[in-house]
Amino acid sequence: MSIPARSNPPPAIAGAAGDDVCPDAVVAFDAALQLVHANRAAAALAGQPPAALAGLDAARLMSLGLLAEPVGTRLAEVRSSATAQRVQARDAFGGGAGRWYDVWIVPRADGGVTCYARDISDMKDAEERLRASAGRDSLTGLLNHAAFHDAVSRALATSGPDAPDVALVLFDLDYLKLINDVHGHQTGDEALRRVAEALRATTRDVDVVARLGGDEFAALFVGLDRERVQRIAQRAVARIGATMLPGVGRLSVSAGIAFVASTREPGDLFDRADAAVYDAKARGRGVASVADMTEIACASRRRDVTEDLPPPPPPDLPNARDVVTAARGALREWVHVLACSGGCVDLLDTRTQAVKAVAYYRFGHDDWKLAEQTYALADYPDTARALALGQTYSCRVDDPEVDPAEAALLRQRGFASMLLTPLVSAGRPIGIIELFDTRARVFTSTDQRVAMALAHHLAPLLALLQERDGASA
């Protein structure tokens, strides 16, 4: 950002009587670019009396450090073009203090030029503070999302055999929503600050640490081997786990570590670190997981759920007067249980050839709605197959194997990943429940087992309400 010191060049007057009381530095050169006048302010900057400067040409002044190169190199241009130029430079007329000056170089009728320099160091300092604050998270003082992504892109820009190793660690503060709900947002904010302090204490000064937003933090490591990165991540997780918050207890973070692949793509690095975070959460939270390329690639594809899981308690649906109310109540609980961004319940039509969204919920947006459209199952074969087989199905928009129609619908709804679970009652499919995430998430086998168990509770209730609604129609 540039803060102009003047909007127009000053009049070209060299050696005027008012120069010596002017706070701005003024120097004048003749047609041969030899100095013919310096006011008191300019002489003070140079540390020389005006008489000692007279007759020195621009090249000599630059060699002595008494004329900044950006100013000296423009004198001849202004003289020949007879057009004023403006430049901002440090130590315009010497001094060595590193102060910034806004300099107008103005041609004169006699072929010479006059320079007027105003000290703008305070303005430059304000610009720098503003620029620095724009890249910082206001709560924690760490870098923010945009600044961190820029740092990652710069770190990955170097390629070839000499490119440095790059590692990304994502940290999710566990149970932040519960802390906010039970203890208030001020306590939640304090928890976030404590995590930031722990990350500063366990990383090096050269490491890049940021709060990406919400409960998510990140650290970027360049030129470190894998073992050292893992030790730092585990040390950070342990330090946060030992942090006590009054009234709350010990904090906990789940960390995902990813090392740069041959593609050196930022998106790939974030995806794999994110997948490792979900693996850490599936392992019980409060641990660090390393993204393994083979495991993540396998996990990102469709998976069938066959393991038995002890059923969780059924959703509390005291106001389940109709299908829509029951479905929406279940969605709210599912989104929280599986830490998703939103979801919808789609019911089969009477011919079992299409589904229609009857209830939807998006975390933090009570008025959010999906278009009440009917989707032909023939257009979405993977969904149809999962429904027919009674199996879960997950997809991500960045998965090259995902059906294009499924990916397009997911993007249209504003999400990056989905977990689909069939609703089956008395052996008969009645619909599906879709859980969405705005991140390209890998839904773990534990996520799928929990979703299937919850569906077993919801499906009979929806079937009963459908029959009741049909009988009363």
Side-chain angles (χ1 to χ4, degrees), residues 49-109:
L53 300 173
L56 297 178
D57 62 24
R60 178 61 175 160
L61 289 169
M62 283 192 288
S63 69
L64 294 172
L66 301 179
L67 183 64
E69 184 177 353
V71 179
T73 55
R74 285 171 170 78
L75 296 179
E77 295 176 14
V78 171
R79 180 188 59 185
S80 59
S81 67
T83 303
Q85 290 191 28
R86 182 185 186 183
V87 63
Q88 293 183 354
R90 287 185 183 273
D91 296 326
F93 302 133
R99 297 188 69 80
W100 279 95
Y101 291 86
D102 180 47
V103 184
W104 275 103
I105 309 169
V106 183
R108 298 197 311 274

Side-chain angles (χ1 to χ4, degrees), residues 166-429:
V166 177
L168 171 67
V169 183
L170 296 181
F171 300 89
D172 266 19
L173 174 56
D174 298 323
Y175 312 112
L176 177 61
K177 183 182 184 303
L178 183 62
I179 294 173
N180 285 333
D181 290 347
V182 175
H183 302 281
H185 285 272
Q186 287 185 337
T187 302
D189 289 348
E190 180 60 25
L192 293 168
R193 283 190 285 265
R194 295 287 187 90
V195 172
E197 291 170 4
L199 293 179
R200 285 193 190 95
T202 51
T203 54
R204 306 170 303 162
D205 291 341
V206 295
D207 301 327
V208 182
V209 183
R211 180 187 173 212
L212 303 184
D215 58 1
E216 192 170 29
F217 294 79
L220 177 68
F221 302 92
V222 179
L224 275 188
D225 60 63
R226 294 186 173 219
E227 288 188 4
R228 289 189 65 189
V229 171
Q230 292 181 52
R231 285 200 300 270
I232 292 174
Q234 290 163 355
R235 187 164 64 240
V237 169
R239 187 180 183 106
I240 294 167
T243 300
M244 293 290 295
L245 196 62
V248 175
R250 296 183 187 275
L251 298 179
S252 168
V253 294
S254 300
I257 308 168
F259 299 97
V260 69
S262 58
T263 57
R264 300 186 74 84
E265 288 292 333
D268 172 71
L269 192 62
F270 274 94
D271 284 349
R272 289 186 292 110
D274 204 37
V277 169
Y278 283 109
D279 180 67
K281 290 183 179 292
R283 289 169 51 198
R285 304 176 189 261
V287 297
S289 287
V290 180
D292 178 82
M293 292 292 291
T294 303
E295 291 178 1
I296 297 303
C298 180
S300 67
R301 295 185 174 90
R302 306 156 194 77
R303 291 165 299 177
D304 299 336
V305 177
T306 57
E307 302 96 326
D308 293 329
L309 186 74
D316 181 18
L317 302 173
N319 298 316
R321 299 177 301 274
D322 52 42
V323 169
V324 172
T325 303
R328 183 173 171 80
L331 276 175
R332 294 177 70 94
E333 293 198 18
W334 284 23
V335 165
H336 288 280
V337 168
L338 291 171
C340 298
S341 303
C344 72
V345 171
D346 308 309
L347 293 184
L348 274 168
D349 63 8
T350 55
R351 299 167 59 193
T352 68
Q353 294 180 353
V355 293
K356 179 179 179 180
V358 297
Y360 17 73
Y361 173 71
R362 184 165 188 166
F363 181 76
H365 301 269
D366 286 338
D367 58 348
W368 179 70
K369 284 189 176 184
L370 284 174
E372 295 187 4
Q373 296 175 320
T374 298
Y375 302 96
L377 290 175
D379 295 333
Y380 304 96
D382 288 331
T383 294
R385 187 179 303 110
L387 184 59
L389 297 176
Q391 298 171 340
T392 59
Y393 160 66
S394 63
C395 71
R396 295 165 28 149
V397 294
D398 61 350
D399 184 351
E401 296 188 11
V402 71
D403 182 78
E406 302 273 5
L409 183 59
L410 197 52
R411 289 193 185 95
Q412 176 186 331
R413 290 171 166 179
F415 298 101
S417 52
M418 174 192 71
L419 172 62
L420 181 148
T421 308
L423 294 168
V424 180
S425 177
R428 177 178 64 89

